[in-house]
Amino acid sequence: MATRRPSPYPYWFVLPAAVVFVTLFLVPTVASFWFSLTRWDLFEAEFIGLDNYRQFFREPFLVQGLVNTLIYAVVTSGAKSVLGLLLAVLLTSGIWFQGFLRSVVFFPVLVSTIGVGIAFAALMHPTRGAINLALATIGIEGPAWLSDPALALYSVALIDIWKGVGLATLIYIAGLAAISPDYYEAARIDGATRWQQFWRVTVPLVRPATVTVVTLSLIGGLRSFDIIWATTRGGPGFASDVLASVIYKQYQAGFYGLSTAGNVILFLLIAAIVLPMTWWFSKREVDL
Amino acid sequence: MLADFYNVLAEAPTFAEDYTANRAKYATTPAALRGFEHLQEVFEAGYLNRDFGVALFEDGMRMVATGEGAHYPMLTFGIGTLKQNHPEHLDDVGFFAQPGTDPERNGLTVWMPAALYVPADTPHAEEAVAFLNFVASPEGCRIMMEAVGASGPYLIRGCDLPEDVPQAVRDMMPYFEEDGRTAPALEFLSPVKGPALEQITVEVGSGIRDAASAAALYDQDVEKQARQLGLPNW
């Protein structure tokens, strides 16, 4: 065990940060745990014990929302990592206009999520949307992307991947740049093919970037809300509801205590998934 | 489903009180369940347009205005949109109440005009009440009618509709002229209304869920609302 070293800073030096931390972070966190145990209409809070949690887990749409949240997080996070790495390899291979192409991939990250959602809702319109009109010219009848209950969640995930892959690519480009060219040279001397170089050199050595990308996009996917709300509002019915949209709808209906309980559950869920994952990743890193 | 409430009351006159007191349920009251069943029947009969899942209110108004669609279940407040977007078709669109099962008893479920409130502890109660009186006077009513157009009769005595109201409003008037041919919507008789009704009815109308399980789900949904309001017996 490491013993704690005395801080080099006097107390008055850390006081401003401590005030900000306590008032803006610590107090709201504790308050949210308290309000999740009450029936709350923003003015009066009546203590009702764990009733909100009981109610939240009885919520019939919640189970589907939870499953959808996990599907959404895994699909978007997986696709962003794989596509991000492939795009990063492409964009570090010295192709023409490399700098320009890198910014093109990154551009969707900068655009407003709500704007992207509205634009895609129009593009994915089953009879008047550009996607299905384009498919129709080659004789394919496109599906109802956002209004087919079996498809809606994946369509939204697709939009999310398009929008977020630029950030993953950027992280991977930085990761690739950190790999010393010596490894590739040694591999080439040993007669490794491009394919072998990718799997035996690039993939293992870009691991820190993979950890960052997977962790960030998984957390992003688990708490994802804006793009879903802008495209399907969790519908049709509850087909693309995720935890965050279920919670939002409880706020909208004025069930403040109940939705606060939902937020506590979301916080615990993210912690329960991400903490073991980062622990596992860092353990593997030591093994390498 | 909400517009079917006249027919619910015709068959189960005490439904609203029983519902508020947690004695009557949608799933177990046949008259109330029928509203969900009609949604399912419409889907199964294939009457819906192909892209109904993404059609919005304005699409619906366009379709009945231009004749693309035959029926659109909507309140007469839609007339404002019709007047703005398709003024040339304003008189092409008619209106009738949602039919029930008994052809002898046909009537209209009515949504009440908007209400105005004043905070009880306002320092300017007199002025606020004077303004409310003006809004509820025949003159205030006439000004509003000129500005937004009439979507139905007013509750203010002396504020009569002009002769040239749109066809849909004209179709609506006979219901008000006879006794017993109108009933308020459930939300004016009971505070119990679940937040997920919209999603549940979308599910039934899109063939994702059947009427019986939707009614049961909705009964479960309203429990939260009743408890949040602190209603007795929930």
Side-chain angles (χ1 to χ4, degrees):
Chain A
M1 283 296 281
T3 50
R4 286 183 56 183
R5 280 183 305 152
S7 165
Y9 304 109
Y11 283 121
W12 61 262
F13 189 85
V14 296
L15 194 65
V19 169
V20 169
F21 181 78
V22 169
T23 53
L24 293 184
F25 296 97
L26 200 57
V27 170
T29 305
V30 174
S32 71
F33 280 102
W34 156 251
F35 280 119
S36 74
L37 302 174
T38 66
R39 184 171 293 136
W40 182 30
D41 62 6
L42 291 185
F43 299 103
E44 282 163 42
E46 177 200 348
F47 183 77
I48 52 166
L50 290 173
D51 263 13
N52 281 330
Y53 290 92
R54 224 165 285 147
Q55 174 76 51
F56 201 85
F57 280 110
R58 267 178 8 127
E59 195 83 0
F61 341 115
L62 179 80
V63 179
Q64 191 179 6
L66 263 177
V67 173
N68 282 351
T69 308
L70 293 175
I71 294 176
Y72 188 87
V74 169
V75 167
T76 53
S77 161
K80 280 178 196 173
S81 324
V82 173
L83 278 175
L85 178 56
L86 295 179
L87 284 171
V89 170
L90 172 76
L91 293 175
T92 49
S93 62
I95 51 166
W96 288 353
F97 308 118
Q98 187 164 283
F100 170 71
L101 291 178
R102 283 182 188 181
S103 39
V104 167
V105 166
F106 191 68
F107 184 63
V109 178
L110 304 173
V111 182
S112 139
T113 311
I114 300 294
V116 168
I118 293 171
F120 268 92
L123 291 173
M124 288 179 165
H125 190 287
T127 50
R128 282 178 281 140
I131 295 178
N132 279 4
L133 289 179
L135 288 176
T137 59
I138 52 168
I140 299 173
E141 194 189 338
W145 297 97
L146 294 168
S147 52
D148 180 340
L151 207 64
L153 186 69
Y154 298 98
S155 300
V156 182
L158 207 66
I159 306 172
D160 193 327
I161 294 162
W162 173 80
K163 180 163 165 42
V165 76
L167 191 62
T169 309
L170 193 76
I171 296 170
Y172 271 122
I173 288 175
L176 291 177
I179 300 174
S180 159
D182 298 348
Y183 292 112
Y184 293 103
E185 205 188 325
R188 266 199 305 278
I189 291 168
D190 286 344
T193 60
R194 290 294 312 202
W195 186 246
Q196 284 169 326
Q197 285 178 39
F198 177 75
W199 280 108
R200 306 290 170 146
V201 180
T202 308
V203 172
L205 288 176
V206 85
R207 183 185 181 80
T210 308
V211 172
T212 312
V213 168
V214 170
T215 313
L216 282 181
S217 57
L218 201 63
I219 295 176
L222 288 172
R223 50 171 278 275
S224 178
F225 169 74
D226 37 14
I227 196 127
I228 293 172
W229 201 252
T231 48
T232 64
R233 297 190 170 235
F238 310 97
S240 60
D241 250 335
V242 293
L243 210 45
S245 65
V246 171
I247 295 168
Y248 180 78
K249 285 193 271 190
Q250 312 299 335
Y251 270 117
Q252 232 182 3
F255 306 148
Y256 299 105
L258 183 63
S259 41
T260 308
N263 270 330
V264 171
I265 293 168
L266 179 61
F267 166 75
L268 294 177
L269 177 79
I270 293 182
I273 292 174
V274 173
L275 285 182
M277 201 181 74
T278 43
W279 172 79
W280 183 74
F281 273 137
S282 60
K283 201 185 71 163
R284 291 274 308 264
E285 202 138 322
V286 177
D287 292 347
L288 260 170
Chain B
M1 178 263 169
L2 291 175
D4 197 41
F5 193 65
Y6 174 90
N7 300 317
V8 178
L9 273 191
E11 216 179 300
T14 60
F15 182 78
E17 299 95 82
D18 294 344
Y19 190 57
T20 310
N22 200 9
R23 286 194 303 265
K25 295 281 169 200
Y26 267 94
T28 50
T29 310
L33 178 59
R34 224 160 275 145
F36 287 100
E37 287 169 352
H38 292 328
L39 283 171
Q40 187 180 342
E41 288 157 10
V42 167
F43 174 78
E44 285 171 355
Y47 291 145
L48 298 170
N49 43 306
R50 196 161 62 87
D51 52 2
F52 70 91
V54 289
L56 303 175
F57 166 66
E58 293 197 353
D59 296 318
M61 293 315 294
R62 188 197 72 237
M63 290 179 75
V64 282
T66 59
E68 250 179 279
H71 296 297
Y72 181 43
M74 185 45 63
L75 310 179
T76 49
F77 86 84
I79 291 170
T81 307
L82 197 60
K83 202 169 157 184
Q84 194 179 355
N85 292 356
H86 310 278
E88 70 283 11
H89 292 299
L90 189 57
D91 280 328
D92 297 349
V93 180
F95 179 86
F96 62 89
Q98 179 164 321
T101 41
D102 180 1
E104 297 299 307
R105 274 193 302 191
N106 175 244
L108 177 68
T109 307
V110 176
W111 269 258
M112 292 295 174
L116 297 164
Y117 295 85
V118 179
D121 56 356
T122 170
H124 303 290
E126 226 171 278
E127 294 91 327
V129 170
F131 176 69
L132 258 55
N133 279 334
F134 170 67
V135 172
S137 70
E139 200 204 346
C141 176
R142 191 181 49 76
I143 294 171
M144 284 194 291
M145 210 189 313
E146 271 168 25
V148 294
S151 60
Y154 287 88
L155 280 176
I156 296 161
R157 193 162 288 133
C159 181
D160 297 321
L161 292 177
E163 283 300 306
D164 60 340
V165 288
Q167 184 59 41
V169 176
R170 212 171 302 145
D171 291 344
M172 193 184 189
M173 297 311 293
Y175 295 102
F176 292 94
E177 281 153 14
E178 280 172 58
D179 276 343
R181 291 201 66 198
T182 58
L186 178 59
E187 60 208 64
F188 299 103
L189 300 176
S190 169
V192 181
K193 189 176 181 188
L197 180 61
E198 182 190 329
Q199 287 80 13
I200 295 172
T201 46
V202 165
E203 283 198 313
V204 183
S206 319
I208 304 173
R209 188 187 295 278
D210 68 87
S213 87
L217 186 60
Y218 183 55
D219 285 335
Q220 208 177 329
D221 185 45
V222 298
E223 274 178 31
K224 279 182 294 186
Q225 163 81 357
R227 290 208 192 118
Q228 174 84 13
L229 293 174
L231 298 180
N233 212 13
W234 284 82

